[in-house]
Amino acid sequence: MAFQPKLFASHLHDSTTVLTQQNSTSYVANKWVFDIGGSAVLPFLRQILVANVAKLTTQGMGLQSKINGFSANQNMTLDVYYFSESAFRLVVNTSEPLIFANWLTQFETYFDIDVIVRDDLAVLSVQGADAFNTLVDEFALTPGLRLSDYALRFGAQSNAVFLTAVANDAGQSYELIANPTELANWQSRFIGLGFNAHAA
């Protein structure tokens, strides 16, 4: 999927929370990536997601949503990113990736969609008071959007790495999605820049 915007975003947070976040990196063990494409991908996502994905019209924009109809875990959340009208990326938080993958791929029969299970990709979290500026510098990104809603997401592609801005009550964090070798190199780079490495 062609996707090359260099604009990047962060969430609006209380400055005290941001300043007290420790500079650190860690692998996120329970996040799995799925790319979905096809002429019916938008109506399909509107059927299975609680959030209104029709609002996503700009490359890189995303949001957090729960899933309709996946009985194994009704509280499962995922982040969905807009690449184009016929291409989206899902980053799913689950300890049951095979069950979810089987559930998701069954819809290829009923909708004009293709589901690609990206088991070649891993997720590395980066957070801390210096995280945003470090990522902007290291990946040659342009700081842009300020996201006021914690459910909003924003992603940018830089060479082999897809970077995302995510947030929760604990503060701002960023996730790098790439193959494990690429992420290991980047984690080493962050450690060299003063970030601590935490276990997954």
Side-chain angles (χ1 to χ4, degrees), residues 29-102:
N30 287 339
K31 287 205 174 179
W32 304 88
V33 181
F34 300 84
D35 288 337
I36 303 180
S39 62
V41 66
L42 185 56
F44 166 66
L45 291 175
R46 292 180 74 174
Q47 178 172 315
I48 70 163
L49 298 181
V50 173
N52 183 6
V53 293
K55 293 180 178 179
L56 301 178
T57 58
T58 302
Q59 277 195 334
M61 287 302 299
L63 50 80
Q64 185 180 73
S65 180
K66 291 189 176 182
I67 303 171
N68 285 319
F70 181 58
S71 59
N73 185 346
Q74 292 292 349
N75 293 320
M76 176 190 293
T77 60
L78 59 76
D79 297 336
V80 55
Y81 294 92
Y82 176 92
F83 287 3
S84 72
E85 290 183 3
S86 59
F88 287 78
R89 168 164 286 178
L90 305 182
V91 182
V92 184
N93 187 5
T94 179
S95 59
E96 302 171 325
L98 293 179
I99 293 174
F100 181 78
N102 289 335

Side-chain angles (χ1 to χ4, degrees), residues 99-114:
I99 293 174
F100 181 78
N102 289 335
W103 178 81
L104 191 64
T105 55
Q106 72 175 325
F107 292 103
E108 290 178 311
T109 305
Y110 307 106
F111 291 84
D112 182 19
I113 61 170
D114 293 308

